[in-house]
Amino acid sequence: MKEVKKHSMISNFFYAWKLANKAGKGLLVGTLIIGIFQFVNHYIWIYVPKFIVSFVEKHYSIKRFIVTTVVLCVCLFLANALNRYGYTKIDFEFIKNNAFFEKLRMKKMFKTDYKNMENPDFLDFSQKAKTALYRGNGFHGVLYETHNIISNSLVIIVASILIGVKNVFILAAMLVMAVFVGKILGWVGARDKVKFSDFMAPIYREINYLDRTTKNFDFAKDIRLFNMFGVFKRELDFVNKIFFKKNKEHHNRWVLGAMGMESVLLCEKLVMFGWLVYMILKGQMVVSDFLLYVGLAESLHEHIGYMSWIYSAVRTNTFMINDYREFITWKEDSESFQDDEGSIKDLSFDSYEFKFEDVSFKYPGHDNYVLKDINLTIKDGKKLAVVGINGAGKTTFIKLIMKLYNPTKGRILLNGIDIRKFDREAYFKIFAPVFQNIECFALPIFENVSFETEENTDFDKVNKALETSGLSEKINMYENGIHTNLLKIFDENGIDLSGGEKQRLAMAYKIL
């Protein structure tokens, strides 16, 4: 199991905003607008009851009443209009930000060592990183709640100052109880992360696998011919049983947390309103001030409770961001080989000779060696056939020579240089592998060969590569030729190729 570095809540919070600002500053602008003017709007409504009663108490003129009312209405209109603008802006910015975060995650998936694609720990972290990008979770949960953190913090600060001026002991009691609420929800959030979010990562992976497989055209024939519906239903029933059980536990956990929080908040409310009633009965507060402080007390009570929920949600979501952060920075084993690992980028040799020196290999997490003490030299210009029974290590041998895996023991040399010293992407370019299972992409044929846009594709070279691989005659049968789309995922007129034709398409890519 990978040892996970636990970054602090504050560290993960600022990490989220650092990444968000790389995607653009719009989200920060929208967040500040909402946070500030939500606070302004809230305090205008707290002030309104005091304003109305004060006119009666102090016998202010009708003109002054009308002018003040107009000013308040204009302020409310501007605050609400700016709030609407802010919400519209951050909704759009979240789409852009999420695409940026997903691009980083996918880049890691594409660039990581091949062996990680068979590593359950890595795949679980990939799912956790994906979960951190779901709406309401991880990044969205933290970034979205920031405007509430700003507005609620301002409300609590101002209300605390005004109440503290009247009675500092009442304020202290309320803040102590607020800490208790935060502790309760913080404990529930931390426990729920382990018991629910972490536990569910492999379950989500299995659900996603079953979903992808049932929709995958490559499996469609087997599923129908061999009546495999029962198998998939059985597996789906099994994971759904776990899914619903854990969701029920998740729900109950938060219900208990909410009950604990509300109990403390009720005590807080009794203390606050008991003090206000005492003040008015003793004649130490006029009616207009009483209404103002009732509003402040209710506001402080409400926003402390809400802030506790926000704190708990943000804390839980920063745990998810921590997983994303660890996934993006997952240290590749190849980086630990030596200082000059991957430093050689020029592989333009006149000839290529591979040499295996006492090479042994076992897959991560396994005790048995697939290959043991292999010594072999492959001369330039020579042909080599590797034969053997199933499981003899033929495919593993190819994966090693292509640097998809590093030897457990020994080393592989190219022209006398350990292949681990070569830049991986540059090294891959000297090979033209055609594996048994070839996957085509739902793109036009030319793009499956060039992997470039139409403007950047040299069609003469593409046609020549297809001709060399023996596929041009087949392609020319179609009305749109090399512009014909493969598969029917995006185009109902898309075509599929046979297994051998897919291999020829793969060869065309390498020939190009």
Side-chain angles (χ1 to χ4, degrees):
M1 288 288 291
K2 174 181 168 65
E3 185 176 347
V4 182
K5 182 178 180 181
K6 299 290 187 181
H7 301 278
S8 70
M9 174 182 168
I10 298 298
S11 175
N12 286 321
F13 180 89
F14 283 107
Y15 172 82
W17 272 106
K18 183 179 178 181
L19 279 191
N21 286 332
K22 284 185 178 179
K25 305 295 184 185
L27 184 61
L28 180 60
V29 172
T31 298
L32 291 173
I33 288 173
I34 297 172
I36 293 169
F37 287 98
Q38 201 167 262
F39 157 75
V40 171
N41 182 71
H42 180 80
Y43 262 94
I44 289 174
W45 284 112
I46 287 180
Y47 175 76
V48 165
K50 173 182 171 59
F51 156 69
I52 294 172
V53 175
S54 291
F55 270 91
V56 176
E57 288 178 336
K58 299 180 180 180
H59 307 291
Y60 289 137
S61 66
I62 295 297
K63 180 180 178 181
R64 183 172 178 178
F65 179 82
I66 293 172
V67 170
T68 307
T69 301
V70 170
V71 170
L72 288 174
C73 289
V74 170
C75 291
L76 282 171
F77 173 79
L78 291 175
N80 285 322
L82 287 166
N83 266 336
R84 284 296 95 210
Y85 168 76
Y87 277 113
T88 302
K89 186 169 184 62
I90 65 172
D91 281 345
F92 169 75
E93 293 295 331
F94 273 128
I95 297 172
K96 187 168 69 174
N97 275 256
N98 204 62
F100 177 75
F101 301 149
E102 176 66 358
K103 184 172 71 174
L104 294 180
R105 190 188 74 89
M106 292 303 295
K107 182 179 178 181
K108 183 64 177 180
M109 289 290 290
F110 288 135
K111 295 287 186 179
T112 191
D113 284 343
Y114 174 78
K115 68 177 183 302
N116 285 334
M117 303 309 294
E118 299 178 320
N119 181 347
D121 284 348
F122 180 85
L123 295 175
D124 280 348
F125 259 90
S126 173
Q127 178 59 51
K128 290 178 183 180
K130 181 70 176 176
T131 302
L133 302 182
Y134 293 159
R135 190 169 184 85
N137 286 350
F139 285 95
H140 183 270
V142 168
L143 299 174
Y144 184 84
E145 289 294 353
T146 302
H147 75 267
N148 284 324
I149 293 173
I150 294 171
S151 62
N152 277 269
S153 296
L154 290 173
V155 168
I156 290 171
I157 289 169
V158 172
S160 298
I161 291 172
L162 293 174
I163 292 171
V165 169
K166 285 285 186 180
N167 192 320
V168 70
F169 297 107
I170 294 295
L171 175 62
M174 294 187 72
L175 294 179
V176 167
M177 284 185 274
V179 171
F180 272 111
V181 171
K183 290 290 185 181
I184 291 170
L185 294 180
W187 181 83
V188 174
R191 186 173 177 80
D192 195 62
K193 167 65 169 57
V194 176
K195 296 287 187 179
F196 182 71
S197 298
D198 289 351
F199 182 88
M200 289 299 293
I203 302 300
Y204 286 137
R205 274 207 299 122
E206 188 168 353
I207 291 173
N208 290 337
Y209 169 77
L210 292 171
D211 179 62
R212 289 196 311 271
T213 303
T214 54
K215 294 187 291 189
N216 190 326
F217 183 72
D218 292 337
F219 294 97
K221 295 187 293 295
D222 292 329
I223 289 172
R224 284 155 180 78
L225 286 172
F226 299 106
N227 193 24
M228 297 176 68
F229 168 75
V231 176
F232 282 95
K233 182 179 183 301
R234 183 171 65 248
E235 290 298 315
L236 192 58
D237 286 344
F238 175 73
V239 294
N240 276 340
K241 184 178 179 180
I242 298 173
F243 178 83
F244 290 123
K245 177 185 177 184
K246 288 298 175 180
N247 269 277
K248 183 177 181 180
E249 292 174 0
H250 164 72
H251 172 77
N252 291 340
R253 196 174 292 120
W254 281 108
V255 167
L256 290 174
M259 289 172 63
M261 181 195 77
E262 290 300 333
S263 298
V264 177
L265 288 177
L266 178 61
C267 294
E268 179 189 78
K269 205 166 189 176
L270 289 172
V271 169
M272 191 67 196
F273 281 97
W275 168 66
L276 287 174
V277 170
Y278 174 81
M279 293 288 285
I280 197 76
L281 290 176
K282 288 291 185 177
Q284 297 176 11
M285 189 178 284
V286 297
V287 175
S288 59
D289 284 344
F290 176 80
L291 292 174
L292 173 63
Y293 279 91
V294 165
L296 289 173
E298 185 66 34
S299 179
L300 187 59
H301 166 81
E302 177 187 338
H303 285 81
I304 284 177
Y306 188 29
M307 197 66 163
S308 299
W309 276 113
I310 294 172
Y311 167 79
S312 177
V314 168
R315 188 166 184 261
T316 301
N317 285 318
T318 57
F319 292 149
M320 296 182 185
I321 292 171
N322 197 98
D323 290 339
Y324 177 95
R325 190 173 179 178
E326 285 295 285
F327 174 75
I328 294 298
T329 58
W330 182 289
K331 188 173 178 62
E332 307 293 341
D333 287 345
S334 61
E335 295 172 2
S336 63
F337 174 59
Q338 54 192 45
D339 291 339
D340 58 352
E341 165 68 28
S343 61
I344 303 175
K345 300 183 183 296
D346 184 7
L347 281 82
S348 55
F349 302 119
D350 294 330
S351 62
Y352 297 84
E353 179 183 278
F354 290 91
K355 187 174 183 180
F356 282 62
E357 290 186 346
D358 298 320
V359 171
S360 298
F361 178 79
K362 59 182 177 181
Y363 284 97
H366 293 263
D367 296 326
N368 297 327
Y369 283 93
V370 180
L371 296 173
K372 186 77 172 176
D373 300 327
I374 302 296
N375 288 281
L376 174 69
T377 299
I378 305 173
K379 301 285 187 180
D380 185 58
K382 299 294 182 179
K383 295 181 180 178
L384 176 69
V386 182
V387 296
I389 62 173
N390 290 340
K394 302 184 297 297
T395 302
T396 301
F397 175 82
I398 299 301
K399 289 177 179 178
L400 287 172
I401 201 171
M402 290 188 62
K403 204 182 172 184
L404 291 174
Y405 281 99
N406 287 329
T408 306
K409 296 180 180 178
R411 60 180 187 160
I412 303 171
L413 307 177
L414 169 58
N415 293 353
I417 304 171
D418 194 311
I419 64 172
R420 283 176 286 191
K421 293 186 179 182
F422 293 110
D423 174 76
R424 184 170 56 178
E425 292 188 15
Y427 185 79
F428 285 166
K429 290 179 181 178
I430 70 174
F431 292 94
V434 178
F435 295 106
Q436 183 176 356
N437 296 321
I438 300 295
E439 297 298 334
C440 294
F441 299 94
L443 300 168
I445 291 171
F446 79 83
E447 206 166 338
N448 271 272
V449 177
S450 69
F451 287 96
E452 294 283 356
T453 62
E454 188 168 357
E455 296 78 14
N456 295 326
T457 296
D458 187 327
F459 289 99
D460 290 336
K461 288 185 177 180
V462 169
N463 283 315
K464 187 175 180 179
L466 289 168
E467 185 177 353
T468 303
S469 70
L471 198 57
S472 59
E473 185 176 347
K474 168 81 173 182
I475 301 302
N476 291 333
M477 292 171 55
Y478 298 107
E479 181 181 351
N480 294 322
I482 61 175
H483 288 82
T484 303
N485 282 313
L486 288 182
L487 310 181
K488 297 181 182 294
I489 296 174
F490 303 119
D491 183 356
E492 63 179 12
N493 296 316
I495 64 163
D496 196 11
L497 299 176
S498 69
E501 288 167 344
K502 289 178 180 178
Q503 290 179 328
R504 291 181 183 276
L505 187 67
M507 285 191 285
Y509 163 69
K510 297 308 296 186
I511 291 169
L512 185 71

